[in-house]
Amino acid sequence: PQGIGSPSVYHAVIVIFLEFFAWGLLTAPTLVVLHETFPKHTFLMNGLIQGVKGLLSFLSAPLIGALSDVWGRKSFLLLTVFFTCAPIPLMKISPWWYFAVISVSGVFAVTFSVVFAYVADITQEHERSMAYGLVSATFAASLVTSPAIGAYLGRVYGDSLVVVLATAIALLDICFILVAVPESLPEKMRPASWGAPISWEQADPFASLKKVGQDSVVLLICITVFLSYLPEAGQYSSFFLYLRQIMGFSSESVAAFIAVLGILSIIAQTIVLSLLMRSIGNKNTILLGLGFQILQLAWYGFGSESWMMWAAGAVAAMSSITFPAVSALVSRTADADQQGVVQGMITGIRGLCNGLGPALYGFIFYIFHVELNELPMPESPPGSSVVTQYHLQQNSIIPGPPFLFGACSVLLALLVALFIPEHTNLSVRSSNWKKHCGSHSHPHSPQAPGEAKEPLLQDTNV
């Protein structure tokens, strides 16, 4: 068998860490290149690039997941990592091609889907949530450390070295998959015919969304997720650019902000979430997380000073408890054979938001004429004349209009979440759901039909 040793979760963890560490190094250089490439309508173009990437990932994730059931996980790990990291060396070669390839690479930017399938192949059901948590924590750890390292190296040695280093790490990840990662799906577990198991129903990205209205509780949860994650997805795509150019943060400050926010989020999603779930219950934890998200977005929207962004970042860490609490509510109330289907619905909603959110934020920035007329110098400390002059150019009463729109969206999500029952069993149309699951399952799958779908429906944002 190819690879080193038996398939393990640690193989998947290393693949994820190297890929996102490489991209994290480019956080600061990407912000500069983005403005230099699109000096006019920077936020709009950023939203369109990230929006196209998100929509393509949403459309391709089910198909790639289904194909990996046939051809094996290793080949698709190699494919997704290669095409996701392909734009990295183009940053210094041709910025236009760099952003074009980023948007198109969304077709293969579903490494997490294949990684979760890999983990599901080699773990028992009771081990799976811990294994998924390890993969997610590794993803967070890579993004906590790499932006600060990239900003430091860029300031001392220049951005070219950062791009070379990121390219080398991406190549190391590809070599690691080729040499060290063993296949988790044995040949005997794959179907005899390649054509039989792949159908349009499996590859249909809207399949999970079509079943949303079958149960009122599922509908309430999905509406809550959509209204709360839409502004979050848009915020991820533009917020660091917003800090760098509108708020006058230096590259080092942006990297430090990412690190502090990441550490606080990890604490919030582990220790704080566990305490809240035991003390106030699942539903109240969701409501509390949504409340923190409203406060955070409103603070971002009205904040005009650096300290306000740092304070709002601490609130943002607390708002990160919302989605884990929603997932826990779904897993606790859904029947055992419907876990994958219901979780797939939630993930499908988030995937759709990954495409719509960035485009929406970019469009709102464009409508309110929040443009970048001057690029603050990286060497300029906060409060310098360059930054002060730039702040005086902003005539808008509201510095960040999209964040206030997001706060209104999350407020609607909070009102919807009030109607979610605390203790209920999702009495969905079991016969229809089981029939749907059965039509999508493969004869080689060792899990129950609902469970077999779960890892393939995971989103790239965890």
Side-chain angles (χ1 to χ4, degrees), residues 15-301:
V15 170
I16 286 293
F17 181 84
L18 291 176
E19 176 182 338
F20 288 96
F21 189 89
W23 274 108
L25 290 172
L26 299 179
T27 301
T30 297
L31 301 182
V32 177
V33 173
L34 183 65
H35 174 68
E36 291 176 348
T37 308
F38 307 106
K40 293 184 178 181
H41 312 316
T42 309
F43 285 103
L44 179 62
M45 293 305 300
N46 179 62
L48 291 176
I49 291 168
Q50 298 297 330
V52 169
K53 180 180 179 180
L55 283 174
L56 289 176
S57 298
F58 166 70
L59 295 173
S60 65
L63 177 60
I64 290 181
L67 288 173
S68 72
D69 280 340
V70 181
W71 294 337
R73 315 297 185 200
K74 179 172 180 172
S75 57
F76 279 88
L77 277 176
L78 186 64
L79 191 70
T80 54
V81 171
F82 175 82
F83 281 100
T84 303
C85 296
I88 292 177
L90 295 176
M91 176 181 282
K92 287 300 179 182
I93 299 173
S94 173
W96 278 92
W97 277 105
Y98 171 71
F99 290 111
V101 175
I102 281 181
S103 59
V104 176
S105 70
V107 174
F108 297 100
V110 289
T111 308
F112 266 104
S113 296
V114 186
V115 163
F116 279 132
Y118 188 97
V119 171
D121 291 339
I122 58 178
T123 56
Q124 300 296 322
E125 184 180 352
H126 66 278
E127 304 171 326
R128 204 161 293 156
S129 59
M130 183 178 294
Y132 286 170
L134 181 60
V135 173
S136 301
T138 302
F139 163 74
S142 68
L143 293 184
V144 164
T145 55
S146 56
I149 296 173
Y152 172 77
L153 292 176
R155 181 169 57 85
V156 176
Y157 301 104
D159 289 344
S160 297
L161 176 68
V162 180
V163 174
V164 171
L165 180 61
T167 304
I169 293 175
L171 290 173
L172 176 64
D173 196 11
I174 293 171
C175 293
F176 176 78
I177 297 172
L178 279 171
V179 176
V181 175
E183 176 59 58
S184 65
L185 192 66
E187 197 73 37
K188 63 181 180 180
M189 300 292 286
R190 306 179 197 179
S193 171
W194 281 14
I198 305 301
S199 66
W200 167 245
E201 288 185 272
Q202 284 179 265
D204 182 8
F206 299 96
S208 61
L209 305 184
K210 293 175 182 176
K211 302 186 294 296
V212 166
Q214 289 186 356
D215 182 81
S216 58
V217 178
V218 175
L219 182 61
L220 290 173
I221 293 175
C222 287
I223 292 175
T224 301
V225 170
F226 179 81
L227 291 175
S228 62
Y229 193 70
L230 184 68
E232 189 175 338
Q235 174 186 321
Y236 285 152
S237 69
S238 61
F239 186 63
F240 299 131
L241 177 64
Y242 180 80
L243 287 179
R244 178 76 175 84
Q245 313 299 358
I246 301 299
M247 300 308 300
F249 274 45
S250 65
S251 299
E252 292 78 10
S253 298
V254 172
F257 188 93
I258 296 172
V260 172
L261 186 60
I263 293 170
L264 291 177
S265 297
I266 292 173
I267 295 173
Q269 293 182 56
T270 53
I271 301 173
V272 177
L273 179 62
S274 177
L275 292 174
L276 289 175
M277 293 283 279
R278 287 199 300 265
S279 58
I280 65 175
N282 206 156
K283 178 183 175 180
N284 290 330
T285 302
I286 295 172
L287 296 177
L288 184 63
L290 292 173
F292 277 115
Q293 190 177 0
I294 294 171
L295 178 60
Q296 162 223 337
L297 288 168
W299 210 333
Y300 282 158

Side-chain angles (χ1 to χ4, degrees), residues 391-460:
H391 275 241
L392 292 175
Q393 295 175 358
Q394 298 298 319
N395 299 321
S396 175
I397 299 176
I398 304 172
F403 303 113
L404 290 185
F405 169 83
C408 295
S409 177
V410 179
L411 178 60
L412 293 177
L414 180 64
L415 296 176
V416 173
L418 289 172
F419 295 95
I420 299 175
E422 172 71 47
H423 301 289
T424 184
N425 188 45
L426 296 181
S427 55
V428 292
R429 301 171 188 172
S430 300
S431 59
N432 291 342
W433 282 38
K434 291 175 182 177
K435 179 180 178 183
H436 174 84
C437 292
S439 66
H440 285 228
S441 63
H442 305 323
H444 69 279
S445 177
Q447 295 93 2
E451 298 163 1
K453 291 292 291 180
E454 180 178 359
L456 304 182
L457 290 166
Q458 294 293 338
D459 188 44
T460 54

